[in-house]
Amino acid sequence: MGVTNLLTSNRTRAWLYGTLVLVFLRALPNLRYIIGRDQATYCVIGQGLLHGQLLYRDLWDNKPPGIFYIYSVIVKIFGPVMWSVGAVDILWLLVFSCCLFYFSRRYLGNPGAALAVIFYVCRHCRQGYIHAVQPEAFLMLLVFAAWFLLQGTVHLPPIGAQTDSSIVAALRPVERVKVSELRVARHFAVGLLLGAAFWLKYNAVAFFPVVALLPFLD
């Protein structure tokens, strides 16, 4: 059984790495992106935040504050260069592709997950610079992170169920307390992630029922 799991894991990694190579090659031309009006606004506000200006007093836009602080980090790292948007878009696509691959693999298998990733990346790149590094990009990473955290929730059998070892039975209440604490911590982290997503764009609230219910629909 262990050998089978190892082979499956190796195949999964091979599919993922091969897919990421294709994603990188497809997204590489994004370095030529110009800065769109949205990204230019985010960069200007991010640069103002670095210079001590206050959001919604000295700097104004109708979006929540999260995206502006992300762009302040981008401007701090890359400086006032136009290709920073394309570079961050490529990095984001690689991370998002990993999330989408593992999410899709659960339902479609490795080949289907790879096709889903390639289809999305081609569609994203065809949409051009205007859709690069928008709030929705980071929002979806947070939603995926919340979903993956919920998938890691552990359930133990109820107290009183028969076991093969009296020692395990004696330790079970302690284990159940630890698992309960871990579950609470996971759910708290999920709430923080969804709250951060809401700070990126208000429509993130639409993902709350999906993240809350999807793990239990299986």
Side-chain angles (χ1 to χ4, degrees):
M1 190 68 176
V3 175
T4 301
N5 290 337
L6 179 61
L7 291 175
T8 301
S9 179
N10 288 339
R11 290 195 192 100
T12 299
R13 282 196 291 266
W15 275 99
L16 175 62
Y17 296 155
T19 302
L20 291 180
V21 170
L22 295 177
V23 168
F24 178 77
L25 293 176
R26 177 62 183 89
L28 195 57
N30 295 4
L31 285 174
R32 301 177 301 171
Y33 278 164
I34 64 174
I35 296 182
R37 60 182 182 271
D38 290 341
Q39 295 91 335
T41 301
Y42 306 150
C43 284
V44 169
I45 294 178
Q47 194 171 37
L49 292 174
L50 293 175
H51 292 154
Q53 294 179 290
L54 296 179
L55 190 60
Y56 305 125
R57 190 194 72 179
D58 307 314
L59 308 161
W60 172 255
D61 192 71
N62 61 352
K63 291 183 176 62
I67 189 62
F68 308 120
Y69 288 105
I70 290 177
Y71 264 82
S72 68
V73 175
I74 294 174
V75 173
K76 180 69 173 179
I77 294 175
F78 292 95
V81 294
M82 188 172 294
W83 54 267
S84 62
V85 172
V88 174
D89 192 57
I90 293 173
L91 293 175
W92 172 81
L93 273 174
L94 291 172
V95 176
F96 184 80
S97 295
C98 290
C99 296
L100 183 58
F101 180 88
Y102 279 109
F103 177 84
S104 303
R105 176 183 176 273
R106 177 169 180 161
Y107 305 99
L108 304 176
N110 291 326
L115 286 175
V117 170
I118 296 301
F119 177 83
Y120 175 81
V121 171
C122 289
R123 179 177 179 274
H124 174 82
C125 292
R126 283 177 60 88
Q127 289 177 326
Y129 70 91
I130 199 66
H131 292 281
V133 200
Q134 291 281 11
E136 290 83 357
F138 301 103
L139 183 157
M140 288 308 303
L141 288 182
L142 293 173
V143 171
F144 267 125
W147 187 82
F148 287 132
L149 270 179
L150 284 179
Q151 293 302 306
T153 302
V154 180
H155 298 281
L156 284 180
I159 295 177
Q162 294 183 353
T163 60
D164 296 331
S165 172
S166 59
I167 297 177
V168 174
L171 292 176
R172 180 170 297 154
V174 176
E175 293 175 352
R176 287 177 63 87
V177 169
K178 291 182 178 179
V179 170
S180 178
E181 292 175 350
L182 180 61
R183 185 182 298 117
V184 171
R186 286 181 185 274
H187 291 176
F188 181 76
V190 168
L192 289 179
L193 289 170
L194 291 177
F198 185 77
W199 267 44
L200 284 166
K201 202 161 186 182
Y202 299 126
N203 58 8
V205 70
F207 290 97
F208 173 75
V210 177
V211 174
L213 298 177
L214 188 61
F216 304 101
L217 295 181
D218 291 342

